[in-house]
């Protein structure tokens, strides 16, 4: 046959190439046998491809779970540098979180729960940023507070500020040096006022704040509240009105590297492209309802959680903490590694967010310490940095009601399940082909 008359395609598909190799490498067989063997080989090939797709889907899901928030283009970005430091504490006093946790264990010992689960002795984080008040601007270092919505600054005439460690070296706000200052009502702890406020590359006028005159307990010169705002003149509300034509959304997110020596950012006005938005459960706090909480065979419903990245660990109410620590003890008794700890699963806004033992456990020599604390006075859970490090969140203070955006995690998981199902189906076809061959 004239080879010049044969048109050879430039490239062969994977299936076509596989069939060519199959024809060359196999001896001549009966038509029925060859058909069955071809079906089995092709089925195994597709099963292997589907299995690889399933593994890639799962890899993508895990990668998406840990990927930091990526802001989308468009609109105007307001950004302020932020650093993370351990919460300053009196060296003679343990952190309040640990005090509450130890009180929880004392109560458990009274009812016969004797073995204590080891937890990390870690301080909560403090996020520090710089603002400026007045005209001309007076720069002040402030801590970012997710549990309040007001701005407090230490006044120059604060009477008892000298009793706080490391606070005398910081600058105080002097209202007499600002030509845009406008005073308001007074209270026992301070004075309500209005002035020009600067945060990063944003400038706002007539922003409400409190001046502390009587006493001051913050380790810095001020506290900037980032909880859902209540007053129309609060910093977040004025920011939303001032930049409503240029900001894509009245949102903020905290992007802080794990290395405390590096500088992060408090970013306003941008959100990720795909977000699972969940309305806050109560006005005035960044708390959401938990559709379900699961660990091992325990399933809980009717819970709520405060999403607070300044809290280092997970914090549980007493009753839930007892159930969780019982399961953790059983797991650690069999294997002391953090990976043996039970998975924690949270259903938030219809999405499932998983924390493994490696996420909330801290390895140590011969065991594992849990970054999970109990608080006998707490009514809801607290999802601290352990959660937000894996699932970065964005806070929408401009919507009504306010809402929190969590990363979408179900799309990759669904793709993984579909690919796994396809792999199993095709494998069944391959096995049927092999049976036909026999």
């Amino acid at each position: 046959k004239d080879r010049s008359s044969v048109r050879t395609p430039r490239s062969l598909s994977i299936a076509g190439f596989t069939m060519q190799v199959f024809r060359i490498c196999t001896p001549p067989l009966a038509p029925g046998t060859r058909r069955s063997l071809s079906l089995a080989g092709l089925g195994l090939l597709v099963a292997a491809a589907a299995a690889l797709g399933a593994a890639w889907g799962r890899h993508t899901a895990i990668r998406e779970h840990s990927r930091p928030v990526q802001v989308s283009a468009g609109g105007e970005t307001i950004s302020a540098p932020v650093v993370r430091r351990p919460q300053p504490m009196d060296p003679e006093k343990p952190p309040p979180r640990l005090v509450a946790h130890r009180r929880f264990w004392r109560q458990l010992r009274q009812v016969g729960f004797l073995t204590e689960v080891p937890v990390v002795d870690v301080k909560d984080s403090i996020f520090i940023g710089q603002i400026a008040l007045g005209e001309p601007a007076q720069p002040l270092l402030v801590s970012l507070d997710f549990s309040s919505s007001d701005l407090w600054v230490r006044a120059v005439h604060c009477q008892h500020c000298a009793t706080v460690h490391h606070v005398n070296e910081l600058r105080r706000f002097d209202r007499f040096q600002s030509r845009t200052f406008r005073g308001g009502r007074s209270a026992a702890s301070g004075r309500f006022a209005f002035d020009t406020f600067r945060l990063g590359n944003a400038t706002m006028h007539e922003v409400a704040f409190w001046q502390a005159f009587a006493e001051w307990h913050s380790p810095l010169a001020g506290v900037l509240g980032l909880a859902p705002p209540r007053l129309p003149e609060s910093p977040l509300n004025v920011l939303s009105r001032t930049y409503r034509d240029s900001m894509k959304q009245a949102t903020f997110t905290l992007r802080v590297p794990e290395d405390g020596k590096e500088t992060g950012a408090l970013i306003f006005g941008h959100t990720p492209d795909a977000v699972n938005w969940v309305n806050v459960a109560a006005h005035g706090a960044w708390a959401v309802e938990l559709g379900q909480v699961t660990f091992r065979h325990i399933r809980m419903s009717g819970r709520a959680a405060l999403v607070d990245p300044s809290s280092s660990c997970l914090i549980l109410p007493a009753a839930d903490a007892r159930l969780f620590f019982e399961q953790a003890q059983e797991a650690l008794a069999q294997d002391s590694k953090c990976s043996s700890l039970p998975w924690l699963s949270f259903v938030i806004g219809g999405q499932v967010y998983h924390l493994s033992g490696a996420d909330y456990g801290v390895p140590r020599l011969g065991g594992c310490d849990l970054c999970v604390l109990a608080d006998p006075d707490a009514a809801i859970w607290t999802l601290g940095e352990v959660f937000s490090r894996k699932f970065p969140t964005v806070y929408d203070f401009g919507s009504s009601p306010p809402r929190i955006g969590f990363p979408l995690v179900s799309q990759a998981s669904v793709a993984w399940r579909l690919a796994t199902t396809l792999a199993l189906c095709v494998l069944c076809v391959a096995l049927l082909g092999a049976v036909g061959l026999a």
Side-chain angles (χ1 to χ4, degrees):
K1 190 175 182 178
D2 188 4
R3 295 182 180 273
S4 61
S5 62
V6 178
R7 297 181 61 185
T8 304
R10 295 183 179 181
S11 62
L12 291 172
S13 65
I14 295 177
F17 176 76
T18 304
M19 295 304 298
Q20 292 288 348
V21 174
F22 179 77
R23 292 193 185 97
I24 295 173
C25 297
T26 55
L29 298 172
T33 303
R34 184 184 304 168
R35 189 181 305 110
S36 299
L37 186 57
S38 300
L39 178 62
L42 184 60
L44 289 174
L45 176 64
V46 177
L52 289 175
W56 176 254
R58 182 163 178 79
H59 168 73
T60 303
I62 296 173
R63 184 179 59 187
E64 290 295 331
H65 289 181
S66 304
R67 181 177 294 175
V69 170
Q70 300 294 328
V71 297
S72 54
E76 180 172 345
T77 302
I78 298 171
S79 178
V82 172
V83 295
R84 179 178 57 190
R85 295 290 184 268
Q87 177 75 44
M89 293 291 177
D90 190 330
E92 299 180 358
K93 296 180 180 180
R97 301 288 195 194
L98 287 179
V99 172
H101 182 78
R102 291 168 184 170
R103 180 158 50 90
F104 161 79
W105 280 108
R106 285 196 299 269
Q107 296 173 0
L108 279 189
R109 292 191 187 99
Q110 296 175 2
V111 295
F113 200 93
L114 301 179
T115 306
E116 185 170 335
V117 176
V119 298
V120 294
D121 185 3
V122 62
K123 297 179 179 179
D124 288 344
S125 298
I126 181 172
F127 297 97
I128 303 173
Q130 180 172 286
I131 66 168
L133 271 180
E135 193 66 53
Q138 300 179 39
L140 303 167
L141 286 179
V142 298
S143 61
L144 307 181
D145 185 11
F146 285 79
S147 60
S148 68
S149 59
D150 297 326
L151 170 62
W152 280 84
V153 295
R154 186 177 61 136
V156 70
H157 300 299
C158 184
Q159 298 175 1
H160 300 290
C161 288
T163 60
V164 180
H165 296 287
H166 311 299
V167 92
N168 285 329
E169 298 83 3
L170 297 174
R171 183 168 183 170
R172 309 184 188 196
F173 175 71
D174 189 352
R175 66 182 189 213
F176 300 107
Q177 299 298 320
S178 173
R179 59 177 178 265
T180 55
F181 175 85
R182 182 169 66 86
R185 66 182 187 274
S186 297
S189 56
R191 183 178 182 182
F192 194 65
F194 303 86
D195 211 334
T196 302
F197 173 75
R198 292 177 175 85
L199 177 64
N201 54 332
T203 301
M204 293 149 277
H205 303 284
E206 290 290 310
V207 172
F209 67 101
W210 286 90
Q211 303 173 87
F213 285 111
E215 56 183 347
W216 186 250
H217 299 288
S218 171
L220 297 171
V223 177
L224 175 59
L226 294 177
R230 297 173 297 172
L231 299 175
E233 302 85 4
S234 64
L236 291 184
N237 274 336
V238 177
L239 175 70
S240 177
R241 291 197 302 270
T242 304
Y243 292 92
R244 61 187 173 188
D245 294 333
S246 55
M247 282 201 310
K248 184 178 179 181
Q249 281 183 303
T251 61
F252 71 85
T253 185
L254 202 57
R255 301 180 66 185
V256 182
E258 292 187 15
D259 186 357
K261 297 179 181 179
E262 298 183 12
T263 302
L266 177 65
I267 301 175
F268 291 86
H270 280 309
T271 59
D273 293 325
V275 181
N276 175 28
W277 289 111
V278 182
N279 293 338
V280 298
H283 185 68
W286 292 118
V288 296
E289 294 182 356
L290 302 177
Q292 191 176 77
V293 180
T294 306
F295 49 90
R296 280 194 164 181
H297 62 277
I298 305 294
R299 284 184 173 85
M300 302 177 176
S301 58
R303 269 51 175 188
L306 182 69
V307 185
D308 184 2
S310 62
S311 175
S312 296
C313 300
L314 303 175
I315 302 173
L316 282 60
D320 295 349
R322 177 174 181 174
L323 290 174
F324 175 76
F325 286 135
E326 287 176 349
Q327 300 300 316
Q329 279 185 333
E330 292 181 9
L332 292 175
Q334 299 175 2
D335 189 344
S336 61
K337 296 180 181 178
C338 294
S339 57
S340 67
L341 289 168
W343 282 69
L344 269 166
S345 300
F346 305 92
V347 178
I348 306 175
Q351 300 269 307
V352 183
Y353 299 88
H354 301 286
L355 290 180
S356 67
D359 293 324
Y360 64 83
V362 179
R364 59 175 171 82
L365 185 62
C368 177
D369 293 337
L370 279 65
C371 196
V372 180
L373 302 177
D375 186 352
D377 301 324
I380 63 175
W381 289 53
T382 296
L383 304 181
E385 187 184 2
V386 165
F387 182 88
S388 60
R389 182 171 59 243
K390 187 173 184 179
F391 304 108
T393 50
V394 57
Y395 301 85
D396 186 352
F397 57 90
S399 65
S400 182
R403 56 185 184 169
I404 303 177
F406 297 87
L408 286 175
V409 297
S410 65
Q411 292 178 345
S413 300
V414 170
W416 169 56
R417 288 195 294 268
L418 289 176
T420 304
T421 304
L422 177 62
L424 291 175
C425 292
V426 176
L427 184 59
C428 291
V429 174
L431 291 176
L432 290 175
V435 171
L437 177 62

